[in-house]
Each structure stands twice: as structure tokens, then as C-alpha cells.
């Protein structure tokens, strides 16, 4: 039973307890619910008055992938945040994956840093976004206090960052499961490890320990669907240093291939890219920025790319995983399905 079905059943139980078997009461509550739905629709911001809602099976597991958010509400951050909430009203959203750079430009200083308010809490304030946000560090978090990103889990109910890298299993359909492996990519890249002045914590983290953990976790996984989430891309078109992708290809890609990972998800370069190379069974998705986007060109294996800001909706069940790339106007730019 998914979250929304459970809440509906619980509401019905309380209604029966309070009102007995009053048919009229049930009718009134149904009318109230319809009225409430209409009221919500009427209060959408003008920019989100019309947006694409995919036809998703009721029992699917649905979640958002977001990244590169924190611009203190500037650029397109606020309308995209509002769209995320409005779309969540139409689907049964279970959780949100935050793939790094929630805070530009120098991370956060502590759990009390006001950037937590201006980059996150006050921006993503829609009631339907009061869900678990599973978070990792990006390179901008590594410019600040990276431990504060984990410690904020003790401050905010919805911010989930139990460690620098970790995994989580979710029910996906009636019989199968999804496991998401959240990794900490800045310490896996020599560029950040060597720049001790700007990224003080990166070189303090063990590459071997993280890769040993990832291999052990992937080997032990019983989930049918396996996704790995990091901030930095393995394959992508970008003007950023080639060494970033080379380090990720050398250190992470072999494990994805060896253990049958379905997709590697990331952010970092502020545009959408879906890449499937002929020499790999793993599919690669770059999620765009939730605020400021950048230009993009095709590269080897490009299936789709777009320079628009936005976020990704994932929906999956026992046999199919589908993702939808949304721009800031609520239009689905691209969708793709994996079946197995």
C-alpha cells in the first residue's frame, strides 16, 4: 500500500469512527475533498496554471531527482520549487533525491547557517514537499562545513543525510524493490583532493573505503532495480575539466558495470543529458539545475539533451522504470522507460 492510499484509508477509518455509518457524512466528505482539490488548482501560480501530468499507474513508486538548487530563490529556483509542489499534488510522490549543490557558493558554515532557510526551507515550502529528502554533498558543499550537511538531519525532519555515502531500499511495485546507492563524489576526484585551500575536507576522505563500501553494498543488494546517485557525471558533455569524468570513469564505472546497475544519476553541469553508450549496459542521466541552467551539446551516446532548468520525476514498478524530464514551465521535455 503506497503512502497516499494509506492516508486515504486512515482518513476513512477516522471518519467512520467519528460519524458511524452515516452515508450523508461520507458524501459530504467526498464533496469536501473535491472542493479542496478545486481550491488547490485555483491557487496555482500563473506560471504553473497548466503543466503536464503523466499517466502513472496508481501503485507506482514515484520520486523526484533534483540538484544544483541553492541560489537563494534567484533565477528559476522559486517557480521550479512551486511546480514541484503543484505536480506532487497530482501524483503520489514518496520522496526526493537531492544530488548535491543545494548550497551555492561556499556551502554552509553550520546547521544554523541562514542559507538553510534561503536556499532550502523557505523555497521548498509547499506542503506536498514535506517528504524525506535524501541528500549528498556536491562540490559547493565541500567549500564549507560538510559535516553540517549530515548534522542538519538532526534539525530538519525531512533532510536525510545519515552519512557521506549510504544506501536505501524502497518497495517498487507489488513484489520488487529499488535500492538507491548515494555516493560522495568530490573526494573521488583528484582535482578537489589537491585543492586543500578551497575544498579542505575532500582530501581527508578515503577513496578506498568508499569504493570498498560501494562494491560490498552492490554485491549484497537483492533489489531488482539499482540506481547509483552522485553529484559528478561519469559521461557528459561539459566544459568542466576532463579529469573529473576520467576519475569517475576509472573509479566508479567498473562497479556499475560489474553489478548490473540500471542507471547512474547526477547533476553538477546544470543541464539535462540522457546518455547510453554502445559499450555499456548502464544508462546515464544528468539532471539539470533547479535554478540556473547552462548550454549543452550532444556527445557520444547522447539520447537527449536540453539546456533548460528543471527536475526529473521517476516512476517505477515491478517491471518498468520511467523518468520524465520537466522544465520550469511544467512541460515534459523527454521521457524514457527501462523494462526488465
Amino acid at each position: 500500500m503506497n503512502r497516499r492510499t494509506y492516508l486515504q484509508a486512515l482518513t476513512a477509518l477516522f471518519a467512520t469512527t467519528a460519524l458511524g455509518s452515516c452515508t450523508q457524512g461520507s458524501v459530504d466528505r467526498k464533496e469536501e475533498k473535491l472542493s479542496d482539490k478545486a481550491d488547490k488548482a485555483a491557487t496555482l501560480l500563473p506560471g504553473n496554471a497548466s503543466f503536464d501530468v503523466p499517466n502513472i499507474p496508481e501503485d507506482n513508486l514515484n520520486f523526484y531527482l533534483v540538484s544544483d538548487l541553492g541560489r537563494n530563490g534567484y533565477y528559476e529556483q522559486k517557480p521550479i520549487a512551486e511546480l514541484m509542489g503543484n505536480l506532487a499534488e497530482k501524483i503520489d510522490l514518496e520522496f526526493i533525491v537531492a544530488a548535491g549543490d543545494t548550497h551555492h557558493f561556499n556551502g554552509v558554515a553550520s546547521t544554523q547557517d541562514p542559507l538553510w532557510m534561503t536556499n532550502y526551507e523557505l523555497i521548498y515550502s509547499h506542503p506536498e514537499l514535506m517528504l524525506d529528502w535524501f541528500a549528498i554533498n556536491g562540490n559547493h558543499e565541500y567549500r564549507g562545513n560538510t559535516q553540517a550537511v549530515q548534522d542538519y538531519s538532526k534539525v530538519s525532519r525531512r533532510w536525510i543525510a545519515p552519512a557521506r555515502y549510504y544506501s536505501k531500499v524502497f518497495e517498487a511495485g507489488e513484489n520488487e524493490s529499488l535500492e538507491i546507492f548515494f555516493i560522495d563524489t568530490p573526494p573521488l576526484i583528484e582535482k578537489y583532493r589537491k585543492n586543500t585551500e578551497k575544498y579542505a575536507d575532500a582530501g581527508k576522505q578515503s577513496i578506498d573505503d568508499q569504493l570498498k563500501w560501494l562494491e560490498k553494498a552492490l554485491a549484497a543488494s537483492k533489489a531488482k532495480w539499482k540506481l547509483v546517485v552522485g553529484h559528478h557525471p561519469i559521461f557528459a558533455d561539459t566544459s568542466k575539466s576532463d579529469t573529473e569524468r576520467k576519475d569517475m570513469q576509472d573509479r566508479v564505472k567498473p562497479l556499475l558495470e560489474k553489478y548490473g546497475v540500471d542507471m547512474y544519476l547526477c547533476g553538477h553541469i546544470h543541464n539535462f543529458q540522457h546518455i547510453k553508450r554502445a559499450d555499456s549496459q548502464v544508462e546515464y542521466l544528468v539532471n539539470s539545475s533547479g535554478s540556473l541552467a547552462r548550454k549543452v551539446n550532444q556527445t557520444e551516446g547522447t539520447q537527449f539533451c536540453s539546456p533548460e532548468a528543471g527536475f526529473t520525476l521517476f516512476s517505477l514498478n515491478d517491471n518498468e522504470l520511467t523518468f520524465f524530464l520537466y522544465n520550469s514551465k511544467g512541460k515534459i521535455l523527454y521521457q524514457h522507460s527501462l523494462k526488465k
Side-chain angles (χ1 to χ4, degrees), residues 9 21 32 39 49-50 77 89 108 116 152 158 185 187 198 208 217 228 231 248 271 280 292:
S21 301
E32 274 184 20
D39 287 344
S50 176
Q77 190 179 12
E89 292 179 350
V108 288
W116 285 108
Y152 195 68
R158 58 178 174 160
T185 59
K198 188 177 287 186
D208 288 343
V228 175
H231 181 66
M248 292 293 291
N271 50 53
S280 175
L292 172 66

Side-chain angles (χ1 to χ4, degrees), residues 48 66 91 115 118 153 215 242 290 292 318 320 335:
N48 291 334
V66 300
I91 60 176
L115 289 178
T118 59
S153 298
E215 178 156 28
D242 292 343
L292 172 66
D318 288 341
E320 185 172 25
Q335 69 182 71

